[in-house]
Amino acid sequence: MVSHLFFYQLVLLALAWLFMMLHYSWPSDRTAEGQRPLQPIQPPRKHSKEPKPFAGLTPKPLCAAWEQDALHAKLPPPVPPDPLPSTNRRPREIDTSMHFCPHAGCRYRGWLGLGNLRATGHPNGGPWRQFYCRACKGDFPEHHGTIFHGKRVPVELLVRVLACLAEGLGIRATARVFEIDPNTVLHWLVEAAEQLRAFSRYFLCDVHVKQVQLDELYAVLRDVKDGELSEDEALKRLDRSPSWGWTAMDPESPLLLVIAVGTRTLKMAQQVVHHVVGVFAPGCVPLCLTDGLKDYGPALLRHLGCWRQPERHQATGPRPKPRWLPLPQLLSAQVVKSYRRWRIVDVQHRVVFA
Ligand SMILES: [Zn+2]
């Protein structure tokens, strides 16, 4: 007679066997993985899509603007002249410390707060004050060098016209609103752009940013340069002169670091990146996001790169040549947007330097 214990052990073994059979025959991820070798073996790919690490360049990439800056950097910085002592006349009531003498040939030209200027009242009762430079004995009005100099129109009109243009109203529409000649509006716009350029050059320096977005906007812009184009021709060209508006901005602030107009070429990309990098504070290497234009890659590499000595692969023989590589902290990626009927339909990201 078979003991109960043996019978139970037999049942237990049968259950264990059933459980194992079920476990291996049940469809699951594991079985799916196990079946993979049954699939036909693919031939090995000749060209792997895995990105290879960038080997670096043996010659340093060129940038025309950089070479130009290097030439200017050799000139010693100008030394300010000594402040002029105050005279025994009555104490000055008008603060002239934020103005400078504009006269060519004056030693005090361009220097602020050296006591060489004196306010001499309003000539002919006009709105603008006159200044006198004690160093060169020259006079100049306080609005010299500003957009208001040489204009007989009220300041408010000029400001309102520029405000309209800044809000996106066209030149001809602005001219109609204020009942003035479109050529006058065009002149003011060009002058305002020059002022803005000077303002940006002075204020935008030593900027700390974590991120910068470089982009080109397709825009119809006029290429108006002094003497090259008559106003009528300039106005006519407005609609048929395609140029690219290049921008670089910090999306966090959002601070527009560079605006430039030009062709969509490597040379222009170099110029824009050169300008942007010149605005950064020393040691600032932000994340650089660009559109699909490949020319940003060499431009960023040129301006945010350094020489590095590659490691030896062999114990003997000559040392490998130093390579120009991106700075270790440089991160750069392309954000490629696809548009359909002026709407973004797809966004792709590609890492360039990491
Ligand atoms: Zn002077």
Side-chain angles (χ1 to χ4, degrees):
M1 188 179 168
V2 181
S3 71
H4 284 143
L5 189 63
F6 177 75
F7 178 73
Y8 288 142
Q9 279 179 350
L10 201 65
V11 170
L12 198 66
L13 273 171
L15 279 171
W17 178 81
L18 190 67
F19 173 76
M20 282 175 70
M21 287 304 290
L22 275 172
H23 178 76
Y24 283 109
S25 62
W26 202 262
S28 68
D29 290 347
R30 205 172 156 183
T31 47
E33 273 177 22
Q35 284 168 359
R36 255 183 212 167
L38 295 175
Q39 291 173 353
I41 297 166
Q42 298 283 334
R45 284 183 190 169
K46 282 183 183 171
H47 300 288
S48 170
K49 282 190 177 175
E50 282 289 309
K52 289 179 185 170
F54 179 57
L57 305 170
T58 43
K60 193 176 178 181
L62 291 171
C63 169
W66 194 292
E67 320 305 336
Q68 223 170 18
D69 281 5
L71 279 175
H72 288 295
K74 285 174 188 166
L75 299 172
V79 180
D82 293 331
L84 284 186
S86 59
T87 55
N88 293 328
R89 296 171 60 166
R90 61 188 168 86
R92 290 170 187 172
E93 291 172 3
I94 307 300
D95 180 19
T96 60
S97 63
M98 294 310 290
H99 295 266
F100 61 83
C101 174
H103 292 298
C106 178
R107 284 193 308 129
Y108 288 77
R109 186 187 181 202
W111 295 104
L112 295 172
L114 294 180
N116 58 312
L117 297 183
R118 209 170 58 212
T120 55
H122 295 253
N124 305 322
W128 302 103
R129 193 171 270 117
Q130 180 105 337
F131 286 132
Y132 169 73
C133 175
R134 291 162 56 206
C136 68
K137 317 281 188 239
D139 293 299
F140 65 97
E142 64 176 324
H143 62 320
H144 181 93
T146 71
I147 196 168
F148 306 113
H149 189 215
K151 293 185 181 62
R152 291 168 185 265
V153 294
V155 169
E156 198 185 340
L157 173 65
L158 199 54
V159 171
R160 284 184 181 277
V161 164
L162 292 176
C164 265
L165 292 170
E167 286 292 334
L169 201 64
I171 293 171
R172 290 182 191 280
T174 306
R176 282 195 295 273
V177 168
F178 293 98
E179 297 179 340
I180 48 178
D181 188 348
N183 292 325
T184 308
V185 179
L186 174 64
H187 263 301
W188 293 355
L189 178 61
V190 172
E191 280 184 65
E194 284 300 318
Q195 295 283 338
L196 182 65
R197 196 194 299 266
F199 177 84
S200 299
R201 262 205 304 265
Y202 184 76
F203 277 95
L204 278 179
C205 55
D206 286 347
V207 175
H208 287 273
V209 286
K210 290 179 185 166
Q211 205 184 111
V212 62
Q213 286 182 357
L214 296 136
D215 212 347
E216 316 93 64
L217 306 167
Y218 187 73
V220 179
L221 298 170
R222 258 171 300 184
D223 192 11
V224 180
K225 289 180 181 169
D226 282 347
E228 282 189 20
L229 220 61
S230 75
E231 288 89 351
D232 279 348
E233 280 176 330
L235 283 168
K236 280 178 196 165
R237 278 200 192 180
L238 176 63
D239 297 326
R240 54 186 171 87
S241 168
S243 299
W244 288 89
W246 295 67
T247 58
M249 73 179 296
D250 166 27
E252 290 183 346
S253 29
L255 181 65
L256 202 52
L257 301 168
V258 171
I259 305 178
V261 178
T263 51
R264 203 165 183 252
T265 55
L266 172 63
K267 192 183 169 192
M268 195 64 201
Q270 291 275 26
Q271 275 182 30
V272 170
V273 172
H274 181 86
H275 192 162
V276 178
V277 173
V279 164
F280 294 158
C284 172
V285 184
L287 165 67
C288 297
L289 297 172
T290 71
D291 61 8
L293 184 67
K294 287 179 182 166
D295 294 330
Y296 280 122
L300 287 170
L301 178 64
R302 171 64 183 86
H303 295 89
L304 295 170
C306 61
W307 287 115
R308 277 194 272 171
Q309 182 66 50
E311 287 182 14
R312 277 168 180 254
H313 294 296
Q314 294 171 333
T316 56
R319 283 168 68 88
K321 281 186 175 178
R323 297 265 174 174
W324 185 263
L325 283 156
L327 290 169
Q329 62 270 44
L330 175 63
L331 303 171
S332 169
Q334 287 183 348
V335 181
V336 184
K337 296 170 197 159
S338 303
Y339 293 87
R340 194 174 296 151
R341 292 183 184 173
W342 303 101
R343 286 188 182 176
I344 297 173
V345 290
D346 186 36
V347 179
Q348 289 191 354
H349 302 89
R350 292 179 208 138
V351 174
V352 182
F353 298 119

